[in-house]
């Protein structure tokens, strides 16, 4: 079986500085795959390249059997790849409902869109309760929920989440992680980028540790969770 996403020897540079130095990994349908690593490892650069926001300087990306090189970002969304970006980037002056609608900008099936809005409210009841309020009034964790809900509105085959736990309280972080587990149980395929290695490894089928642009270690989430070097370097143990 071919993987839903295949990344082969991907390279991405900002000018002369290579931020991603030839990484390879795959995501199979139904899996949660995580990229972990400290600040500056190249995780966000990788996701932005998969989304078509940055151009690779080398390598190949194949999504759902199609090469992604030279496909513009909006067409990549149409192919089924959605991105909940680092920092969330919700529209603070628009309402929660309007933010969700924007995630469906490529769709015209009104009834289907409404069904998926309701699904987002089931997943995150707080969004439903506050649907008519400006999104800027939400807490950081609630804005993260909105960013995830908005990404799901394109009915993606692959959902990419960039640091969903960033800046959140432990309780809110647990809520977000529990939602990722729920989405996986519903069959959503997820590529999760996290600095919070403990949380990400606990729920991932496969994990890759990135350091300064390279994948240094790969394995199942459980294997890496119990790996001595990973525990020392990323889980703060000595
Ligand atoms: N817009 C940019 N211009 C130049 N360098 C950048 C830019 N964005 C990121 N970088 C550099 O690329 C490297 C990888 O960054 P990034 O992908 O954001 O890492 P991560 O998401 O793992 O923290 C870092 O050295 C960072 O400073
Ligand atoms: Mg990042």
């Amino acid at each position: 079986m071919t993987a839903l996403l295949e990344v082969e020897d991907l390279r991405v540079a900002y000018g002369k500085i290579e931020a991603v130095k030839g990484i390879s990994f795959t995501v199979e349908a139904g899996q949660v795959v995580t990229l972990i690593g400290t600040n500056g490892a190249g995780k966000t650069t990788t996701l932005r390249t998969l989304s078509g926001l940055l151009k690779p300087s080398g390598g190949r990306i194949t999504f759902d059997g199609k090469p992604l090189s030279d496909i513009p970002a909006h067409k990549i969304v149409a192919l089924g790849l959605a991105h909940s970006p680092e920092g969330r980037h919700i529209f603070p002056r628009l309402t929660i409902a309007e933010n969700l609608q924007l995630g469906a900008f490529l769709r015209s099936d009104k009834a289907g869109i409404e069904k998926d809005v309701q699904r987002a409210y089931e997943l995150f009841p707080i969004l439903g309760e506050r649907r008519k309020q400006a999104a800027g009034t939400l807490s950081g964790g609630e804005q993260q929920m909105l960013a995830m809900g908005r990404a799901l509105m394109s009915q993606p085959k692959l959902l990419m989440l960039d640091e969903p736990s960033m800046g959140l309280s432990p309780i809110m972080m647990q809520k977000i992680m529990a939602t990722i587990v729920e989405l996986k149980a519903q069959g959503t395929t997820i590529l999760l980028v996290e600095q919070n290695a403990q949380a990400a490894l606990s729920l991932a089928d496969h994990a890759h540790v990135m350091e300064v642009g390279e994948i240094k270690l790969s394995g199942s989430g459980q294997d890496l969770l119990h790996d001595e070097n990973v525990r020392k370097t990323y889980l703060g143990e000595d």
Side-chain angles (χ1 to χ4, degrees):
M1 198 181 87
T2 49
L4 177 61
L5 176 71
E6 281 185 55
V7 175
E8 293 167 81
D9 198 23
L10 181 68
R11 293 172 182 275
V12 192
Y14 297 102
K16 284 188 182 155
I17 298 168
E18 201 168 49
V20 174
K21 302 172 182 174
I23 63 167
S24 301
F25 64 94
T26 60
V27 181
E28 308 267 352
Q31 281 185 338
V32 175
V33 173
T34 188
L35 304 178
I36 60 168
T38 49
N39 204 10
K43 306 181 299 297
T44 295
T45 301
T46 301
L47 292 198
R48 289 178 59 80
T49 307
L50 292 173
S51 272
L53 300 169
L54 294 170
K55 239 181 123 44
S57 48
R60 283 165 304 283
I61 303 166
T62 312
F63 180 66
D64 206 12
K66 295 171 204 72
L68 286 194
S69 47
D70 300 322
I71 298 184
H74 69 280
K75 293 215 171 124
I76 289 178
V77 178
L79 289 176
L81 215 168
H83 187 174
S84 172
E86 182 177 300
R88 290 130 205 179
H89 296 280
I90 53 124
F91 297 92
R93 287 166 195 269
L94 300 182
T95 66
I96 287 147
E98 286 164 344
N99 269 275
L100 288 175
Q101 291 286 342
L102 281 174
F105 72 103
L106 289 168
R107 297 171 61 186
S108 52
D109 56 322
K110 260 192 141 181
I113 292 171
E114 189 45 42
K115 213 172 134 198
D116 284 343
V117 169
Q118 293 309 321
R119 184 172 164 236
Y121 294 156
E122 277 163 30
L123 204 56
F124 303 112
I126 188 77
L127 298 183
E129 287 163 28
R130 300 178 63 178
R131 66 187 82 189
K132 290 186 178 145
Q133 289 181 29
T137 65
L138 296 173
S139 73
E142 291 158 358
Q143 291 190 15
Q144 181 58 47
M145 294 173 178
L146 181 56
M148 288 168 70
R150 182 182 57 188
L152 285 168
M153 288 301 297
S154 64
Q155 294 187 312
K157 294 186 181 120
L158 175 63
L159 174 64
M160 300 197 297
L161 303 173
D162 196 347
E163 305 246 14
S165 79
M166 190 192 266
L168 303 187
S169 67
I171 288 181
M172 195 48 101
M173 194 196 79
Q174 276 178 11
K175 261 191 184 167
I176 296 292
M177 292 300 162
T179 308
I180 295 173
V181 171
E182 192 177 339
L183 287 171
K184 176 180 156 67
Q186 292 173 7
T188 313
T189 309
I190 296 170
L191 178 56
L192 170 66
V193 156
E194 265 297 340
Q195 274 190 62
N196 187 327
Q198 174 85 41
L201 292 177
S202 305
L203 57 79
D205 297 302
H206 279 283
H208 306 279
V209 179
M210 279 188 83
E211 269 173 36
V212 284
E214 293 179 79
I215 290 180
K216 289 289 185 189
L217 193 61
S218 302
S220 73
Q222 288 305 316
D223 283 351
L224 295 199
L225 200 54
H226 297 113
D227 182 276
E228 200 177 323
N229 286 324
V230 171
R231 295 195 73 81
K232 274 191 192 147
T233 314
Y234 296 97
L235 305 175
E237 292 188 1
D238 48 30

